[in-house]
Short mmCIF file of all heavy atoms in Angstrom, two decimals:
data_model
loop_
_atom_site.label_atom_id
_atom_site.label_comp_id
_atom_site.label_asym_id
_atom_site.label_seq_id
_atom_site.Cartn_x
_atom_site.Cartn_y
_atom_site.Cartn_z
N THR A 369 -1.25 2.01 12.54
CA THR A 369 -1.73 2.04 11.16
C THR A 369 -0.74 2.81 10.29
O THR A 369 0.02 3.63 10.81
CB THR A 369 -3.05 2.85 11.04
OG1 THR A 369 -2.77 4.20 11.42
CG2 THR A 369 -4.15 2.30 11.91
N PHE A 370 -0.83 2.60 9.01
CA PHE A 370 -0.27 3.56 8.07
C PHE A 370 -1.30 4.69 8.02
O PHE A 370 -2.52 4.41 8.06
CB PHE A 370 -0.09 2.93 6.68
CG PHE A 370 0.65 3.83 5.75
CD1 PHE A 370 2.02 3.77 5.65
CD2 PHE A 370 -0.05 4.79 5.01
CE1 PHE A 370 2.71 4.65 4.83
CE2 PHE A 370 0.64 5.67 4.18
CZ PHE A 370 2.02 5.60 4.09
N PRO A 371 -0.87 5.98 7.95
CA PRO A 371 -1.86 7.07 7.95
C PRO A 371 -2.97 6.84 6.92
O PRO A 371 -2.72 6.31 5.84
CB PRO A 371 -1.03 8.30 7.56
CG PRO A 371 0.37 7.96 7.92
CD PRO A 371 0.49 6.47 7.79
N ARG A 372 -4.17 7.24 7.27
CA ARG A 372 -5.36 7.21 6.40
C ARG A 372 -5.93 5.81 6.17
O ARG A 372 -6.55 5.54 5.14
CB ARG A 372 -5.09 7.89 5.04
CG ARG A 372 -4.53 9.26 5.14
CD ARG A 372 -5.32 10.14 6.05
NE ARG A 372 -6.57 10.62 5.44
CZ ARG A 372 -7.52 11.22 6.13
NH1 ARG A 372 -7.42 11.39 7.43
NH2 ARG A 372 -8.61 11.64 5.52
N SER A 373 -5.72 4.95 7.15
CA SER A 373 -6.20 3.58 6.99
C SER A 373 -7.45 3.28 7.82
O SER A 373 -7.92 2.14 7.84
CB SER A 373 -5.09 2.60 7.39
OG SER A 373 -3.98 2.80 6.57
N GLY A 374 -7.95 4.29 8.54
CA GLY A 374 -9.10 4.06 9.42
C GLY A 374 -8.70 4.11 10.89
O GLY A 374 -9.38 3.54 11.75
N THR A 375 -7.61 4.81 11.17
CA THR A 375 -7.08 4.92 12.53
C THR A 375 -8.11 5.50 13.48
O THR A 375 -8.42 4.92 14.53
CB THR A 375 -5.86 5.88 12.54
OG1 THR A 375 -5.17 5.81 11.32
CG2 THR A 375 -4.95 5.61 13.71
N THR A 376 -8.63 6.67 13.12
CA THR A 376 -9.51 7.43 13.99
C THR A 376 -10.77 6.63 14.31
O THR A 376 -11.23 6.56 15.46
CB THR A 376 -9.89 8.75 13.29
OG1 THR A 376 -8.70 9.28 12.69
CG2 THR A 376 -10.48 9.74 14.24
N TRP A 377 -11.32 6.03 13.29
CA TRP A 377 -12.50 5.18 13.39
C TRP A 377 -12.26 4.07 14.43
O TRP A 377 -13.06 3.83 15.33
CB TRP A 377 -12.73 4.58 12.01
CG TRP A 377 -14.04 3.96 11.72
CD1 TRP A 377 -15.15 3.96 12.51
CD2 TRP A 377 -14.38 3.22 10.54
NE1 TRP A 377 -16.16 3.28 11.89
CE2 TRP A 377 -15.72 2.82 10.67
CE3 TRP A 377 -13.69 2.88 9.37
CZ2 TRP A 377 -16.38 2.07 9.68
CZ3 TRP A 377 -14.34 2.15 8.39
CH2 TRP A 377 -15.67 1.75 8.54
N THR A 378 -11.11 3.41 14.28
CA THR A 378 -10.77 2.29 15.17
C THR A 378 -10.46 2.76 16.59
O THR A 378 -10.81 2.10 17.56
CB THR A 378 -9.57 1.52 14.57
OG1 THR A 378 -9.87 1.24 13.20
CG2 THR A 378 -9.31 0.24 15.31
N GLN A 379 -9.84 3.93 16.69
CA GLN A 379 -9.55 4.47 18.03
C GLN A 379 -10.85 4.69 18.81
O GLN A 379 -10.96 4.33 19.98
CB GLN A 379 -8.83 5.81 17.92
CG GLN A 379 -7.38 5.74 17.50
CD GLN A 379 -6.88 7.16 17.30
OE1 GLN A 379 -6.98 7.72 16.21
NE2 GLN A 379 -6.38 7.77 18.35
N LYS A 455 -1.95 5.82 19.97
CA LYS A 455 -2.04 5.73 18.51
C LYS A 455 -0.66 5.99 17.92
O LYS A 455 0.05 6.89 18.36
CB LYS A 455 -3.01 6.81 18.01
CG LYS A 455 -2.79 7.24 16.58
CD LYS A 455 -3.57 8.50 16.26
CE LYS A 455 -3.14 9.08 14.93
NZ LYS A 455 -3.91 10.28 14.55
N HIS A 457 1.57 5.82 13.92
CA HIS A 457 1.69 5.39 12.52
C HIS A 457 3.05 4.71 12.30
O HIS A 457 3.38 4.36 11.17
CB HIS A 457 1.56 6.58 11.57
CG HIS A 457 0.19 7.20 11.59
ND1 HIS A 457 -0.96 6.46 11.50
CD2 HIS A 457 -0.20 8.50 11.68
CE1 HIS A 457 -2.01 7.27 11.54
NE2 HIS A 457 -1.57 8.52 11.65
N ARG A 478 -5.26 -0.95 4.95
CA ARG A 478 -6.20 -0.51 3.91
C ARG A 478 -5.53 -0.63 2.55
O ARG A 478 -4.29 -0.52 2.44
CB ARG A 478 -6.57 0.96 4.19
CG ARG A 478 -7.66 1.50 3.29
CD ARG A 478 -8.02 2.94 3.62
NE ARG A 478 -9.19 3.39 2.88
CZ ARG A 478 -9.64 4.63 2.86
NH1 ARG A 478 -9.03 5.57 3.58
NH2 ARG A 478 -10.71 4.95 2.16
N ASP A 482 -6.35 3.34 -2.15
CA ASP A 482 -7.25 4.26 -1.44
C ASP A 482 -6.48 5.10 -0.42
O ASP A 482 -6.81 6.26 -0.19
CB ASP A 482 -8.35 3.46 -0.71
CG ASP A 482 -9.52 3.13 -1.64
OD1 ASP A 482 -9.77 3.91 -2.59
OD2 ASP A 482 -10.18 2.09 -1.43
N VAL A 485 -4.89 8.10 -2.18
CA VAL A 485 -5.85 9.18 -2.46
C VAL A 485 -6.19 9.93 -1.17
O VAL A 485 -6.16 11.16 -1.11
CB VAL A 485 -7.15 8.60 -3.10
CG1 VAL A 485 -8.21 9.68 -3.22
CG2 VAL A 485 -6.83 8.00 -4.47
N SER A 486 -6.47 9.19 -0.14
CA SER A 486 -6.85 9.80 1.13
C SER A 486 -5.69 10.63 1.73
O SER A 486 -5.89 11.71 2.29
CB SER A 486 -7.29 8.70 2.10
OG SER A 486 -7.77 9.25 3.28
N TYR A 487 -4.47 10.12 1.55
CA TYR A 487 -3.26 10.80 2.07
C TYR A 487 -3.06 12.12 1.31
O TYR A 487 -2.67 13.12 1.88
CB TYR A 487 -2.07 9.87 1.86
CG TYR A 487 -0.91 10.00 2.83
CD1 TYR A 487 -1.04 10.63 4.07
CD2 TYR A 487 0.35 9.45 2.52
CE1 TYR A 487 0.05 10.71 4.94
CE2 TYR A 487 1.43 9.52 3.39
CZ TYR A 487 1.27 10.16 4.60
OH TYR A 487 2.34 10.24 5.46
N TYR A 489 -5.45 13.97 0.02
CA TYR A 489 -6.40 14.97 0.51
C TYR A 489 -6.05 15.42 1.93
O TYR A 489 -6.31 16.57 2.28
CB TYR A 489 -7.83 14.43 0.42
CG TYR A 489 -8.34 14.49 -1.00
CD1 TYR A 489 -8.43 13.36 -1.79
CD2 TYR A 489 -8.67 15.72 -1.58
CE1 TYR A 489 -8.85 13.43 -3.12
CE2 TYR A 489 -9.08 15.80 -2.90
CZ TYR A 489 -9.18 14.66 -3.66
OH TYR A 489 -9.57 14.75 -4.97
N LEU A 490 -5.45 14.56 2.69
CA LEU A 490 -5.01 15.00 4.03
C LEU A 490 -3.98 16.11 3.89
O LEU A 490 -4.03 17.13 4.57
CB LEU A 490 -4.40 13.83 4.82
CG LEU A 490 -3.87 14.25 6.19
CD1 LEU A 490 -5.01 14.36 7.21
CD2 LEU A 490 -2.81 13.30 6.73
N TYR A 541 -9.62 -2.10 6.67
CA TYR A 541 -10.61 -1.02 6.50
C TYR A 541 -11.80 -1.54 5.69
O TYR A 541 -12.95 -1.29 6.03
CB TYR A 541 -9.92 0.15 5.78
CG TYR A 541 -10.83 1.32 5.45
CD1 TYR A 541 -10.97 2.37 6.34
CD2 TYR A 541 -11.50 1.38 4.23
CE1 TYR A 541 -11.79 3.45 6.04
CE2 TYR A 541 -12.32 2.45 3.92
CZ TYR A 541 -12.46 3.48 4.82
OH TYR A 541 -13.28 4.55 4.52
N ILE A 545 -15.84 -1.57 6.59
CA ILE A 545 -16.88 -1.01 5.72
C ILE A 545 -17.95 -2.06 5.44
O ILE A 545 -19.14 -1.78 5.47
CB ILE A 545 -16.25 -0.56 4.37
CG1 ILE A 545 -15.36 0.65 4.57
CG2 ILE A 545 -17.30 -0.34 3.28
CD1 ILE A 545 -16.02 1.98 4.37
N LEU A 548 -19.56 -3.75 9.82
CA LEU A 548 -19.02 -3.15 11.04
C LEU A 548 -19.39 -3.93 12.31
O LEU A 548 -18.51 -4.22 13.12
CB LEU A 548 -19.44 -1.67 11.13
CG LEU A 548 -18.84 -0.87 12.28
CD1 LEU A 548 -17.32 -0.89 12.28
CD2 LEU A 548 -19.33 0.58 12.24
N HIS A 574 -23.11 4.87 16.29
CA HIS A 574 -22.24 5.98 16.70
C HIS A 574 -21.04 6.09 15.75
O HIS A 574 -20.57 7.20 15.46
CB HIS A 574 -21.76 5.74 18.14
CG HIS A 574 -20.73 6.71 18.61
ND1 HIS A 574 -21.04 7.93 19.17
CD2 HIS A 574 -19.37 6.66 18.59
CE1 HIS A 574 -19.92 8.56 19.49
NE2 HIS A 574 -18.89 7.82 19.14
N LEU A 575 -20.58 4.94 15.27
CA LEU A 575 -19.36 4.91 14.45
C LEU A 575 -19.62 5.07 12.96
O LEU A 575 -18.67 5.04 12.17
CB LEU A 575 -18.61 3.58 14.68
CG LEU A 575 -18.03 3.36 16.08
CD1 LEU A 575 -17.57 1.92 16.23
CD2 LEU A 575 -16.86 4.31 16.35
N ARG A 576 -20.90 5.22 12.59
CA ARG A 576 -21.21 5.40 11.17
C ARG A 576 -20.50 6.63 10.63
O ARG A 576 -20.32 7.63 11.33
CB ARG A 576 -22.71 5.57 10.97
CG ARG A 576 -23.49 4.28 10.81
CD ARG A 576 -24.82 4.52 10.09
NE ARG A 576 -25.28 5.90 10.18
CZ ARG A 576 -26.22 6.34 11.05
NH1 ARG A 576 -26.76 5.50 11.91
NH2 ARG A 576 -26.58 7.60 11.06
N PHE A 577 -20.11 6.57 9.35
CA PHE A 577 -19.34 7.66 8.75
C PHE A 577 -20.02 9.02 8.95
O PHE A 577 -19.39 9.98 9.42
CB PHE A 577 -19.12 7.37 7.26
CG PHE A 577 -18.36 8.45 6.56
CD1 PHE A 577 -17.01 8.63 6.78
CD2 PHE A 577 -19.01 9.32 5.70
CE1 PHE A 577 -16.30 9.65 6.16
CE2 PHE A 577 -18.31 10.34 5.06
CZ PHE A 577 -16.96 10.50 5.29
N ASP A 578 -21.31 9.12 8.62
CA ASP A 578 -21.96 10.43 8.71
C ASP A 578 -22.06 10.90 10.16
O ASP A 578 -22.03 12.10 10.45
CB ASP A 578 -23.33 10.43 8.02
CG ASP A 578 -24.18 9.25 8.44
OD1 ASP A 578 -23.64 8.33 9.06
OD2 ASP A 578 -25.39 9.27 8.15
N LEU A 580 -19.78 10.09 12.64
CA LEU A 580 -18.43 10.51 13.07
C LEU A 580 -18.04 11.83 12.39
O LEU A 580 -17.34 12.66 12.97
CB LEU A 580 -17.39 9.45 12.74
CG LEU A 580 -17.30 8.22 13.63
CD1 LEU A 580 -15.98 7.51 13.41
CD2 LEU A 580 -17.44 8.56 15.11
N ARG A 581 -18.50 12.01 11.18
CA ARG A 581 -18.17 13.23 10.45
C ARG A 581 -18.71 14.47 11.18
O ARG A 581 -18.08 15.52 11.20
CB ARG A 581 -18.76 13.15 9.05
CG ARG A 581 -18.10 14.08 8.09
CD ARG A 581 -18.61 13.85 6.69
NE ARG A 581 -17.60 14.26 5.75
CZ ARG A 581 -17.87 14.99 4.67
NH1 ARG A 581 -19.09 15.36 4.42
NH2 ARG A 581 -16.90 15.34 3.86
N VAL A 586 -14.01 13.94 17.10
CA VAL A 586 -13.38 12.85 16.37
C VAL A 586 -12.92 13.31 14.98
O VAL A 586 -11.85 12.95 14.51
CB VAL A 586 -14.36 11.65 16.24
CG1 VAL A 586 -13.75 10.53 15.44
CG2 VAL A 586 -14.76 11.15 17.63
N ASN A 588 -11.11 15.38 12.75
CA ASN A 588 -9.97 16.30 12.97
C ASN A 588 -9.79 17.32 11.86
O ASN A 588 -8.67 17.73 11.58
CB ASN A 588 -8.67 15.48 13.06
CG ASN A 588 -8.69 14.47 14.18
OD1 ASN A 588 -9.12 14.78 15.28
ND2 ASN A 588 -8.24 13.26 13.92
N GLN A 596 -12.40 17.72 4.13
CA GLN A 596 -12.73 17.21 5.46
C GLN A 596 -11.77 16.09 5.85
O GLN A 596 -11.37 15.29 5.00
CB GLN A 596 -14.14 16.61 5.43
CG GLN A 596 -15.25 17.62 5.33
CD GLN A 596 -15.62 18.16 6.70
OE1 GLN A 596 -15.65 17.45 7.68
NE2 GLN A 596 -15.90 19.44 6.75
N PHE A 597 -11.43 16.02 7.13
CA PHE A 597 -10.62 14.88 7.62
C PHE A 597 -11.38 13.58 7.36
O PHE A 597 -10.83 12.60 6.89
CB PHE A 597 -10.36 15.05 9.12
CG PHE A 597 -9.48 13.99 9.69
CD1 PHE A 597 -8.10 14.15 9.69
CD2 PHE A 597 -10.01 12.81 10.21
CE1 PHE A 597 -7.27 13.16 10.21
CE2 PHE A 597 -9.19 11.82 10.72
CZ PHE A 597 -7.82 12.00 10.73
N MET A 598 -12.68 13.58 7.69
CA MET A 598 -13.55 12.45 7.34
C MET A 598 -14.08 12.78 5.96
O MET A 598 -15.05 13.53 5.81
CB MET A 598 -14.73 12.35 8.31
CG MET A 598 -14.34 12.19 9.75
SD MET A 598 -13.95 10.47 10.05
CE MET A 598 -13.38 10.55 11.74
N ARG A 599 -13.45 12.28 4.96
CA ARG A 599 -13.66 12.78 3.61
C ARG A 599 -14.77 12.05 2.87
O ARG A 599 -15.84 12.59 2.65
CB ARG A 599 -12.31 12.69 2.85
CG ARG A 599 -12.23 13.39 1.54
CD ARG A 599 -10.90 13.07 0.88
NE ARG A 599 -10.71 11.64 0.73
CZ ARG A 599 -11.04 10.92 -0.34
NH1 ARG A 599 -11.56 11.51 -1.38
NH2 ARG A 599 -10.83 9.61 -0.38
N LYS A 600 -14.53 10.80 2.49
CA LYS A 600 -15.51 10.04 1.69
C LYS A 600 -15.99 8.79 2.43
O LYS A 600 -17.13 8.38 2.31
CB LYS A 600 -14.87 9.60 0.37
CG LYS A 600 -14.94 10.63 -0.72
CD LYS A 600 -16.04 10.25 -1.68
CE LYS A 600 -16.31 11.36 -2.65
NZ LYS A 600 -16.82 10.88 -3.91
N GLY A 601 -15.05 8.14 3.11
CA GLY A 601 -15.41 6.95 3.87
C GLY A 601 -15.85 5.79 2.99
O GLY A 601 -16.80 5.08 3.34
N GLU A 602 -15.16 5.60 1.89
CA GLU A 602 -15.53 4.51 0.97
C GLU A 602 -14.33 3.61 0.68
O GLU A 602 -13.19 4.06 0.77
CB GLU A 602 -15.91 5.08 -0.40
CG GLU A 602 -17.20 5.82 -0.46
CD GLU A 602 -17.37 6.53 -1.81
OE1 GLU A 602 -16.50 6.39 -2.71
OE2 GLU A 602 -18.37 7.23 -1.92
P1 A3P B 1345 -11.15 8.89 3.12
O1 A3P B 1345 -10.20 10.03 2.97
O2 A3P B 1345 -10.98 7.86 2.04
O3 A3P B 1345 -12.58 9.32 3.26
P2 A3P B 1345 -7.25 7.90 9.46
O4 A3P B 1345 -8.13 8.08 10.63
O5 A3P B 1345 -6.33 6.73 9.55
O6 A3P B 1345 -6.54 9.16 9.08
O7 A3P B 1345 -8.18 7.51 8.22
C1 A3P B 1345 -9.01 8.45 7.63
C2 A3P B 1345 -9.85 7.75 6.59
O8 A3P B 1345 -10.81 6.92 7.26
C3 A3P B 1345 -10.64 8.73 5.75
O9 A3P B 1345 -10.78 8.11 4.46
C4 A3P B 1345 -11.95 8.78 6.52
O10 A3P B 1345 -13.04 9.28 5.82
C5 A3P B 1345 -12.11 7.30 6.84
N1 A3P B 1345 -13.09 7.06 7.91
C6 A3P B 1345 -13.11 7.58 9.14
N2 A3P B 1345 -14.21 7.19 9.81
C7 A3P B 1345 -14.90 6.40 8.97
C8 A3P B 1345 -16.14 5.69 9.06
N3 A3P B 1345 -16.89 5.74 10.15
N4 A3P B 1345 -16.52 4.98 7.98
C9 A3P B 1345 -15.79 4.93 6.86
N5 A3P B 1345 -14.62 5.57 6.71
C10 A3P B 1345 -14.17 6.31 7.75
#
Side-chain angles (χ1 to χ4, degrees):
T369 63
F370 188 91
R372 308 309 284 168
S373 300
T375 329
T376 317
W377 195 7
T378 310
Q379 286 174 270
K455 156 193 169 178
H457 294 312
R478 187 179 188 188
D482 276 331
V485 173
S486 185
Y487 208 18
Y489 283 104
L490 177 80
Y541 177 91
I545 291 267
L548 185 57
H574 173 86
L575 294 169
R576 273 202 337 261
F577 179 72
D578 48 348
L580 283 197
R581 200 174 206 225
V586 178
N588 300 316
Q596 288 276 321
F597 184 89
M598 302 279 175
R599 191 186 56 92
K600 274 258 170 152
E602 289 171 3

